Amino acid sequence: MSTAASAAAGSPPADEPAVPAVRADELVDYRLVKAFIIASCVWLFLAPVAGFLFAVKFSVPHFLNLATWTSGPLIRQFHVNGVIFGWFTSATIGLSYYICPKLCGRPIWSVRLGWWSFWIYSLAFLAGEICILAQYTQGIELGEFPLPVDIFFALGFVTVTINLLMTILTRREKQIYVALWYLMAAYIWTCLNWCVGNFLLPYAAAGPNSAALHGFYLHNLVGLWITPSGLAIIYYFLPPAAKNPLFSHKLSILGFWSLAFFYPFNGTHHYIFSPIDAWVQTIAIVASMFLFIPVWAVCANFFGTLRGHWALLPRSGVLKFLIMGAVFYLIGCAQGPIEALRTVQAWTHFSDFVIGHSHVTIFGTFTFWAWAGIYFVWPRMSGRQIWSSALVGLHFWLATLGFTLMFLALTISGFVQNAMLHGGTFYVDSIVPLKIWWLLRSVGGGAMVLSMWVFMFNIYMTSRHGKPLVDAVGYRDYMPAATERYSRPWERPQAAPQRLREQYDRPIPVALDGGQGEDGNGDGNGERG
């Protein structure tokens, strides 16, 4: 048998020694992963509710004016930090502790350090949110935590970073799958960026320089933390959910390095027409336009991975969230570069359009991908099938339709207000026509919050009353090996690492295969509708 045929068949080539099999259920510390995911769900309950209350205040300004800590600005700070650092980051760390051991072929480097990171990070973030409501903050967006909290928050994040990097450094797999590239970069970049935004920006810059540095910090939280960590999630879970190898390794590398090179220059595109030097603004605009390269590369990779397997989409809850997130990613990342153009920004900036744009990425893309990852791993960790596939569908449609309504309302509101301002209308008068759009924003936001409650209820009921999985001990992720059926080199999908091929290519029960349930709905649910 040839080397290529051996790799396709899942057996090591003749010139390579056989690698001893490692039980997949022995690689991951499920208790640690569960702890971070449960913590993320706590903030998924609290932070979006705060955002909904803030949206209602636009329509009813005196709503909940009970105390200072219920005022609009404090609720907004609580909401934004809760969604990014409480919900998404906690969920991402939990999924990282699942993904990293699987792709490295060894358990996490230090379980004890993992638990230390959990408690330090969780308690530091809780302290930070309390400080926001108590008005003990710094004047930096997404850097509001006071210095003592910043130190412990950074310590918690750095311990996670060390644990993951050491796991990768001591891995048993030679090949580094693209999801690990994104995870390594995301954690390293964010450790550096956090120091810039919280230990340098408040004390070492003023005036336009402070604004430019703040744009660097704030935008790189999205571009160098949320984006690469979110892409790591979909790069890991899409192939097993689609039962197909990754479409193109070369596209994944193109997307990674173009993101790494162009994104750090984008921060100033939020400060067009500001006192910041015009040449800095121009560089940000040019770099923003180059971001079409990583966006199109990764989206082509995602949709190409589903080539020939689109029939799975209606039956798989995991795939629905992954692909809808990819659609929103394409929309949001097309908005960003176009919005950076001076002509366009004159009609969009300082309006609700920007709020809609930020939500299409944070919620429409990365929250959808995090949900997909949790739906994928939770049955594997709990040993139970998803309790209700009907609730998975309800969750998906409430989130999709509710967010679409909110996004359209904010986008239209932004264009309406800027059109009036360009026509000479006073700012106060420009608010009057926006009331209907703000009401629609609240309706859509309410549906989004309801979808999150449905998700958390379904996850809880899965742990308590989900139908036991078939052969739960032998439960495996499914990642087919690459084949030679692609004629052009750039179309050839990336093979899974050899140890993973040995685990994944063996027959496994349908209920355990890539999140597919016995009824084929993709939610690990064999009976309950």
Side-chain angles (χ1 to χ4, degrees):
M1 182 181 294
S2 66
T3 300
S6 299
S11 58
D15 57 345
E16 292 185 12
V19 181
V22 177
R23 292 172 59 91
D25 50 311
E26 294 176 353
L27 294 177
V28 180
D29 189 294
Y30 288 155
R31 291 177 62 248
L32 182 59
V33 176
K34 278 186 177 180
F36 274 104
I37 290 179
I38 291 172
S40 73
C41 288
V42 171
W43 292 109
L44 184 64
F45 177 82
L46 296 175
V49 170
F52 173 72
L53 296 177
F54 181 66
V56 171
K57 278 180 171 287
F58 277 82
S59 300
V60 188
H62 299 292
F63 177 63
L64 277 186
N65 279 358
L66 306 176
T68 306
W69 62 271
T70 62
S71 63
L74 295 183
I75 290 179
R76 181 191 178 276
Q77 293 176 32
F78 182 91
H79 162 68
V80 174
N81 282 273
V83 168
I84 292 179
F85 296 125
W87 149 243
F88 180 78
T89 299
S90 296
T92 297
I93 294 173
L95 293 174
S96 298
Y97 277 134
Y98 180 92
I99 294 171
C100 193
K102 293 284 186 128
L103 293 180
C104 292
R106 58 147 296 160
I108 201 71
W109 183 63
S110 172
V111 174
R112 177 177 296 181
L113 186 61
W115 281 107
W116 273 103
S117 67
F118 170 75
W119 288 111
I120 294 173
Y121 181 89
S122 299
L123 294 177
F125 179 73
L126 175 62
E129 289 288 75
I130 293 174
C131 287
I132 286 178
L133 297 180
Q135 304 178 69
Y136 180 42
T137 62
Q138 300 182 117
I140 304 294
E141 187 174 8
L142 286 176
E144 290 91 349
F145 296 168
L147 182 59
V149 175
D150 282 336
I151 294 173
F152 282 98
F153 186 90
L155 178 62
F157 195 87
V158 168
T159 55
V160 175
T161 303
I162 293 173
N163 214 359
L164 294 175
L165 292 181
M166 288 303 297
T167 303
I168 297 171
L169 183 64
T170 58
R171 68 190 184 278
R172 295 171 182 166
E173 299 294 343
K174 292 182 179 180
Q175 184 177 356
I176 299 181
Y177 182 60
V178 62
L180 288 182
W181 279 97
Y182 277 106
L183 282 182
M184 286 189 291
Y187 283 96
I188 293 172
W189 289 337
T190 305
C191 287
L192 300 174
N193 191 42
W194 182 262
C195 293
V196 170
N198 293 273
F199 303 139
L200 179 64
L201 176 58
Y203 313 105
N209 291 335
S210 177
L213 195 58
H214 182 261
F216 175 87
Y217 163 69
L218 184 62
H219 212 260
N220 285 338
L221 276 179
V222 177
L224 300 184
W225 166 240
I226 298 175
T227 297
S229 59
L231 289 172
I233 291 173
I234 186 171
Y235 266 119
Y236 180 84
F237 292 111
L238 182 60
K243 295 179 171 48
N244 208 28
L246 183 65
F247 175 67
S248 170
H249 177 60
K250 290 183 174 63
L251 280 179
S252 69
I253 296 301
L254 173 64
F256 176 84
W257 287 110
S258 55
L259 177 76
F261 185 78
F262 295 120
Y263 211 106
F265 297 98
N266 288 331
T268 312
H269 80 194
H270 286 286
Y271 298 95
I272 306 300
F273 307 117
S274 73
I276 298 174
D277 288 343
W279 66 269
V280 178
Q281 300 177 36
T282 301
I283 289 176
I285 294 172
V286 173
S288 299
M289 301 308 296
F290 275 110
L291 281 182
F292 279 115
I293 297 173
V295 172
W296 289 352
V298 298
C299 286
N301 221 356
F302 299 154
F303 298 136
T305 300
L306 269 179
R307 186 173 64 170
H309 293 256
W310 285 97
L312 292 174
L313 187 60
R315 300 183 286 115
S316 172
V318 173
L319 272 181
K320 285 178 182 177
F321 281 100
L322 290 175
I323 295 304
M324 183 55 68
V327 171
F328 283 132
Y329 181 71
L330 192 59
I331 294 172
C333 293
Q335 272 189 329
I338 294 173
E339 183 189 358
L341 297 173
R342 288 184 172 91
T343 304
V344 177
Q345 189 154 142
W347 292 87
T348 60
H349 208 42
F350 300 116
S351 72
D352 289 336
F353 180 94
V354 181
I355 310 303
H357 168 64
S358 63
H359 278 78
V360 79
T361 51
I362 303 301
F363 181 87
T365 299
F366 300 110
T367 290
F368 271 52
W369 288 349
W371 279 333
I374 294 174
Y375 273 131
F376 190 95
V377 305
W378 198 260
R380 289 162 167 74
M381 295 190 299
S382 64
R384 296 178 180 272
Q385 298 175 13
I386 291 294
W387 184 66
S388 172
S389 60
L391 287 184
V392 175
L394 179 63
H395 171 207
F396 174 79
W397 288 113
L398 279 174
T400 301
L401 297 179
F403 171 70
T404 301
L405 176 61
M406 175 185 175
F407 172 68
L408 292 176
L410 289 171
T411 301
I412 295 172
S413 171
F415 283 128
V416 168
Q417 185 176 29
N418 272 305
M420 296 181 68
L421 294 175
H422 277 261
T425 305
F426 287 108
Y427 180 81
V428 174
D429 296 329
S430 72
I431 293 176
V432 177
L434 306 184
K435 291 182 178 180
I436 181 62
W437 303 113
W438 288 344
L439 177 61
L440 293 175
R441 168 193 184 175
S442 298
V443 172
M448 293 158 60
V449 170
L450 183 59
S451 75
M452 301 174 203
W453 292 355
V454 170
F455 162 74
M456 289 181 286
F457 176 74
N458 205 7
I459 291 297
Y460 171 78
M461 293 300 291
T462 296
S463 298
R464 302 285 294 181
H465 304 292
K467 183 179 178 182
L469 286 168
V470 179
D471 188 24
V473 175
Y475 200 40
R476 300 290 187 272
D477 299 346
Y478 177 82
M479 186 178 292
T483 66
E484 298 299 323
R485 59 190 172 87
Y486 296 94
S487 58
R488 292 182 291 274
W490 55 84
E491 286 187 336
R492 187 174 298 119
Q494 182 184 17
Q498 181 60 44
R499 189 187 307 277
L500 300 182
R501 290 201 296 269
E502 292 175 357
Q503 294 175 18
Y504 301 149
D505 286 348
R506 70 180 184 83
I508 56 178
V510 175
L512 312 179
D513 189 4
Q516 282 292 103
E518 293 170 352
D519 57 356
N521 61 16
D523 303 316
N525 186 338
E527 296 179 356
R528 190 181 305 275

